[in-house]
Amino acid sequence: MNRALYLLLITLLIPTLLSAREAKEYDQDVNYEENRLPEYDLPPLLVSSGGKPIKTPEEWFSIRRPEILSLYSNLIYGRIPKPAQPVDVRFEVVKEDPDFMDGKATRKDVKIILENEKGRVSMHFLVFVPNNAGKPVPAFLKHSFNNTQSNDFDASETRPGFLKNGWPLGAFFDRGYGFCAVYQQDLLRHNEVEFLKGIHKLFYPEGQSFPKAHEWGVLSACAYGASRGMDYLESDTDIDHTRIAIMGHSKMGKATLWTAAQDDRFALAISAQSGCAGAALWRRKSGETLKKMVTRFPYWLCRNAWKFVEQEDDLPIDQHMLLACIAPRPVYVHSSTDDTWADPRGEYLSAYHASEVYEFLGKKGLTSPDLPEIRKPILTSEVGFHIREGGHSIDPYDWEQFMKFADHHFKGK
Ligand code: GCU
């Protein structure tokens, strides 16, 4: 059988077989007990792979941070290959509505076109700019599960100040923030299992149709998309591209951290309940584990990540290092008590351990290894956090803390 066909069949079959097996296993042997955690040592932040202590911020930025990012690219999320031919990026503002939400904001529908001789892919990027605020405005950019071409982004007629999808954009506009959204499936189409039709094809040389073991999975492609959104924002004079907060929930919270770690044009990052492959520490194996993740979602990470299943201690990184790569830019982690699949304590600890680098760079981090009390947000240090009661969602209380965190770090309030 032809090799490409064989790979495709395997690709389609493995998840089906695994998900049939996992339907039984998915909720089994998941550890949620703090007293049953494995013992672990985290890889050091401030010692290079070659054992050299990192003594100055310059050494962090020139030696250790690039080293860590490269480990993430090759072993966890997947490296973006060099494109087959240069990819041309173009923007077209296809629609502009200055009367969005009864005149509170201007909505711009922007088509971002990515093209080379291998093909053309486009993203539908949404940009909302408050009308009654001095320009350029700081803005949030959300990695979105909602399709930016659907009516999810219309203003709700029944709840003034909200989008149909429930996001409180009116509150953002009142506080002087713009809001942008990039849709996770624009670059990957609707099938995460099959990469042939989306962005990946622009990057493959003749004969390649599938990522190599160290090449990009879904989360890396999402991060690439958000960076193209940032390219557009750099050209929009209504938006202050030096004050963009990238944010996302759950799978998109994972994409958020990876985007911000690599692309330092994002001035602040907010990861909401990002869990496994997001803020949570791999080595705790609490709630979702690497094994559960790669068997249910084989393409979110790169295939090299599979090699560490049940070998987490061999990973040269853990997720505190991903957050540390965002330093000194503010990073916020949001958890909730019942979202145990995402390991709230593991999310917090990662932020706590990343604080070592923030402090090394002269910023404020989290000072206690103990989880803060419920609804006692930490907003004024560069590493922020809150935990609330309840489950897996972004609630009004969470939105409010995200805005307060940005107010503090963007506006000094
Ligand atoms: C699943 C997955 C999580 C992910 C979540 C989501 O539960 O296991 O890792 O965060 O989906 O994206 O909502």
Side-chain angles (χ1 to χ4, degrees):
M1 190 184 324
N2 152 326
R3 188 178 145 80
L5 187 62
Y6 174 76
L7 274 175
L8 184 66
L9 277 178
I10 294 280
T11 305
L12 295 172
L13 263 175
I14 286 182
T16 318
L17 294 175
L18 287 173
S19 67
R21 199 184 70 188
E22 169 254 342
K24 282 186 259 128
E25 277 184 3
Y26 162 36
D27 243 351
Q28 288 171 17
D29 39 86
V30 182
N31 181 35
Y32 296 112
E33 309 288 327
E34 208 58 30
N35 59 10
R36 284 180 47 218
L37 288 182
E39 284 196 13
Y40 62 86
D41 289 318
L42 293 178
L45 281 159
L46 295 174
V47 180
S48 78
S49 298
K52 182 179 166 349
I54 300 299
K55 295 213 182 83
T56 60
E58 292 66 40
E59 286 180 353
W60 165 258
F61 287 112
S62 66
I63 301 173
R64 188 60 173 149
R65 182 172 177 272
E67 204 172 75
I68 295 172
L69 287 173
S70 169
L71 291 169
Y72 272 105
S73 289
N74 286 314
L75 301 180
I76 303 289
Y77 302 108
R79 184 172 289 285
I80 300 176
K82 202 167 158 337
Q85 285 100 27
V87 177
D88 181 36
V89 184
R90 286 199 316 283
F91 315 118
E92 278 171 24
V93 179
V94 286
K95 207 157 76 189
E96 193 160 334
D97 171 14
D99 206 22
F100 186 78
M101 240 177 224
D102 300 324
K104 257 187 195 286
T106 297
R107 167 179 163 151
K108 302 183 197 185
D109 286 58
V110 183
K111 198 166 174 185
I112 302 183
I113 301 156
L114 307 162
E115 190 166 21
N116 67 10
E117 283 164 32
K118 290 267 169 174
R120 176 187 160 115
V121 180
S122 67
M123 299 164 57
H124 197 92
F125 187 51
L126 288 179
V127 180
F128 298 91
V129 183
N131 288 336
N132 293 328
K135 310 288 176 316
V137 291
F140 280 61
L141 192 168
K142 194 167 191 298
H143 266 294
S144 164
F145 285 112
N146 300 69
N147 186 342
T148 44
Q149 296 195 67
S150 70
N151 67 6
D152 291 341
F153 288 88
D154 293 351
S156 157
E157 291 104 41
T158 48
R159 291 176 79 199
F162 287 81
L163 290 184
K164 278 219 170 99
N165 68 14
W167 300 353
L169 287 211
F172 280 88
F173 302 149
D174 291 344
R175 286 166 107 120
Y177 288 106
F179 202 97
C180 318
V182 62
Y183 176 44
Q184 58 150 352
Q185 291 188 342
D186 274 353
L187 294 183
L188 297 162
R189 303 286 171 92
H190 290 268
N191 186 354
E192 289 174 356
V193 170
E194 195 247 342
F195 292 123
L196 304 180
K197 296 206 178 92
I199 183 72
H200 290 74
K201 68 172 186 260
L202 270 56
F203 286 71
Y204 290 145
E206 220 42 60
Q208 188 180 348
S209 54
F210 198 76
K212 296 181 184 151
H214 66 287
E215 285 181 351
W216 53 352
V218 171
L219 296 174
S220 267
C222 289
Y224 175 84
S227 288
R228 301 297 69 77
M230 174 57 104
D231 293 346
Y232 165 78
L233 294 177
E234 286 185 322
S235 72
D236 187 327
T237 52
D238 288 337
I239 303 278
D240 179 357
H241 62 85
T242 67
R243 286 186 297 163
I244 304 293
I246 177 106
M247 69 167 291
H249 178 237
S250 205
K251 175 185 176 191
M252 293 298 104
K254 310 176 204 300
T256 291
L257 291 171
W258 180 223
T259 308
Q262 301 175 83
D263 189 339
D264 59 15
R265 293 175 298 168
F266 290 99
L268 185 151
I270 297 170
S271 107
Q273 305 180 319
S274 56
C276 186
L281 293 173
W282 293 113
R283 281 168 173 75
R284 281 171 51 87
K285 299 201 224 170
S286 177
E288 186 173 19
T289 56
L290 177 58
K291 181 177 180 191
K292 300 267 175 202
M293 167 159 287
V294 299
T295 44
R296 288 177 76 213
F297 310 109
Y299 300 102
W300 286 12
L301 308 176
C302 69
R303 274 181 293 131
N304 270 342
W306 290 57
K307 298 174 184 160
F308 296 92
V309 165
E310 290 180 346
Q311 311 290 335
E312 283 85 344
D313 285 327
D314 290 348
L315 274 170
I317 50 88
D318 212 318
Q319 295 305 88
H320 61 312
M321 297 163 91
L322 183 65
L323 273 68
C325 286
I326 301 172
R329 294 163 290 146
V331 65
Y332 194 79
V333 172
H334 149 223
S335 303
S336 70
T337 51
D338 300 342
D339 189 26
T340 48
W341 183 241
D343 187 19
R345 184 160 163 74
E347 293 175 322
Y348 176 78
L349 280 177
S350 180
Y352 167 71
H353 290 296
S355 299
E356 183 183 354
V357 169
Y358 279 82
E359 281 156 16
F360 182 71
L361 299 177
K363 301 292 177 188
K364 281 201 252 156
L366 301 175
T367 51
S368 167
D370 301 325
L371 259 180
E373 282 172 46
I374 290 166
R375 291 194 184 233
K376 288 272 162 57
I378 299 173
L379 299 165
T380 58
S381 45
E382 272 75 16
V383 186
F385 179 85
H386 81 258
I387 182 162
R388 61 157 167 79
E389 67 294 334
H392 195 64
S393 56
I394 300 185
D395 289 359
Y397 175 82
D398 307 319
W399 285 113
E400 179 66 22
Q401 309 319 310
F402 302 162
M403 285 186 260
K404 283 187 180 163
F405 186 69
D407 280 353
H408 182 83
H409 294 284
F410 281 166
K411 306 180 191 165
K413 284 190 189 162

